[in-house]
């Protein structure tokens, strides 16, 4: 499942090893993530930062299609319903991240595919290990279209049209170095531990700025009006400065 | 304050003052700038160009918060009202520049922060000195969100999502070389004088094209539909060519 831990000003959201090591996003894990984000939000103070990481070979392999299949009792249309259900539930996770009142850093410590890649890209900063793991939007190969908020996020965060095409229409599996070149992530690091260390260093730098969380979240939302439109998030004007 | 001078086909809009003058955008300077732009617009002929530059260490340090504070008589909410007033007034300056019937070049001869950076980026071309001065969106550090037309302009003129994030959400102070790499400005020059000289050389090249000002302005607006939407500017179809 996932745990939330606070060390100093940094929250660590970790997808833990017990259970599914692919950290598939089923209703249980989604609910667990939302709980953790809600907890972090309630403890937000100027300077708090969130880092998300995972144990094992995977960061997250996306929606739990195995669960959908088994819970459907052998009925394909029921399985599709369950998938759509997870798509809806996960939309709230994306909203939580886009409106979280603190900087967010994803340390991609393993494979991130489909909704798992979206999860990473919902963060302000994405750091990844270069020695293992790929980013992969599997939908084209699986034979399914993407939810509207997926494409809105990718369009808003990935600048190059050819990168978006390669990701969505070509189903490329992208390692960290190439992901940096394609503008999918911020930086590549020698190992999982090094990626996490770099995330912590970045977090510690950001912490020092003591940004007001509400202002931070509102400025973030104003950077992504298309994503906010699809998620139903509105932004407002805030002045916390002592003028 | 500011002066408008015409030499040949080039208008020079100069923020004047001693070396320490921050050319803060208060209602007086804003009115002065609008006057100057109105004058330039009325004297527009095919081939006229506008170059904006400043004297001293600053290009412009943004809205005049000192003035807001002192004019508020110690009332913080009154100070916020005065800030919002400047935000409204400055929106017209941006509209003036986006609809100005001639090419516009900013020679960033010193620090440009917040509204001062917006002012520079409202020009078609931005040249900057590399030896001194930084670009900086201070709002995140000050604890305030950005006006809608600020984010619209930045989203339309800065292509890389990570550059926009670094500018608005990370509050980076960017020197000219890095600003070019991030896609914030066009070019970096060895000194303030060299930046102005390069602006003049560019102006002289553009002058030779003898562009129709009305057509120029309409094409510019058509490049920036999002900014125009927020500013309430409409575009129209114009054919001046003798077909």
């Amino acid at each position: 499942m996932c745990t939330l831990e606070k060390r100093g000003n940094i929250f660590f959201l970790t997808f833990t090893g017990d259970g599914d090591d692919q950290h598939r996003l089923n209703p249980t894990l989604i609910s667990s993530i939302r709980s953790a984000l809600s907890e972090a939000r309630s403890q937000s103070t100027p300077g708090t930062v969130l880092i998300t990481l995972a144990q094992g070979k995977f960061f997250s392999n996306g929606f739990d299609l195995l669960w959908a299949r088994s819970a459907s009792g052998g009925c394909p249309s029921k399985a599709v319903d369950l998938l759509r259900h997870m798509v809806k539930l996960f939309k709230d996770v994306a909203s939580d991240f886009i409106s979280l009142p603190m900087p967010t850093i994803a340390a991609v410590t393993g494979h991130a595919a489909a909704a798992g890649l979206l999860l990473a890209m919902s963060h302000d900063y994405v750091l990844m290990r270069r020695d293992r793991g790929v980013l992969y939007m599997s939908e084209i190969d699986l034979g399914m279209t993407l939810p509207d908020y997926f494409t809105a996020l990718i369009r808003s965060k990935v600048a190059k049209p050819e990168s978006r095409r390669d990701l969505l229409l070509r189903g490329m599996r992208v390692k960290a170095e190439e992901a940096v070149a394609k503008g999918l992530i911020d930086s590549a690091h020698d190992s999982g531990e090094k990626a996490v260390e770099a995330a912590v260093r970045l977090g510690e730098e950001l912490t020092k700025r003591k940004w007001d969380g509400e202002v931070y979240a509102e400025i973030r939302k104003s950077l992504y009006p298309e994503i906010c439109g699809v998620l139903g998030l509105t932004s407002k004007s805030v002045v916390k400065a002592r003028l």
Side-chain angles (χ1 to χ4, degrees), chain A residues 23-218:
Chain A
H23 312 303
R24 289 193 195 88
L25 294 154
N26 52 42
T28 312
L29 179 56
I30 288 170
S31 172
S32 198
I33 294 170
R34 294 208 72 203
S35 256
L37 293 178
S38 176
E39 181 63 29
R41 173 189 281 260
S42 70
Q43 294 187 44
S44 150
T45 52
T48 43
V49 172
L50 177 92
I51 296 177
T52 303
L53 61 148
Q55 292 171 352
K57 276 181 71 174
F58 286 82
F59 180 77
S60 168
N61 208 19
F63 291 128
D64 198 343
L65 303 181
L66 284 185
W67 169 80
R69 208 171 300 153
S70 69
S72 70
C75 167
S77 67
K78 172 85 179 161
V80 171
D81 286 344
L82 292 172
L83 170 60
R84 293 200 199 286
H85 177 57
M86 287 185 284
V87 167
K88 270 204 86 64
L89 291 177
F90 186 67
K91 192 169 182 173
D92 290 335
V93 172
S95 290
D96 290 347
F97 272 108
I98 298 295
S99 55
L100 204 71
M102 64 186 76
T104 56
I105 306 168
V108 182
T109 43
H111 302 297
L117 175 50
L118 252 291
L119 177 66
M121 291 180 65
S122 297
H123 291 68
D124 298 323
Y125 300 89
V126 185
L127 285 57
M128 184 176 176
R129 66 188 298 174
R130 63 162 57 88
D131 58 330
R132 286 193 211 155
V134 292
L135 307 178
Y136 170 45
M137 288 306 282
S138 48
E139 287 84 349
I140 181 69
D141 289 324
L142 287 176
M144 60 180 77
T145 53
L146 287 87
D148 56 359
Y149 65 96
F150 274 39
T151 42
L153 198 138
I154 287 164
R155 274 199 310 275
S156 303
K157 294 220 175 188
V158 182
K160 300 188 204 184
E162 59 271 26
S163 296
R164 302 194 291 257
R165 174 208 61 204
D166 285 349
L167 198 62
L168 300 194
L169 269 184
R170 195 157 176 189
M172 291 189 95
R173 283 172 169 82
V174 189
K175 295 183 78 169
E177 290 285 9
E178 197 182 0
V180 174
K182 279 171 145 37
L184 308 178
I185 67 172
D186 288 288
S187 55
H189 304 269
D190 288 342
S191 66
E193 291 76 27
K194 291 266 193 263
V196 174
E197 280 168 25
V200 172
R201 274 197 310 273
L202 173 59
E204 286 169 351
E205 265 186 59
L206 301 179
T207 278
K208 288 182 192 150
R209 305 289 285 269
K210 298 254 166 282
W211 291 316
D212 178 271
E214 188 187 11
V215 170
Y216 189 92
E218 291 301 321

Side-chain angles (χ1 to χ4, degrees), chain A residues 1-3 14-23 54-57:
Chain A
M1 276 301 106
C2 74
T3 61
T14 309
F15 301 136
T16 52
D18 57 303
D20 177 17
D21 57 357
Q22 293 194 13
H23 312 303
Q55 292 171 352
K57 276 181 71 174

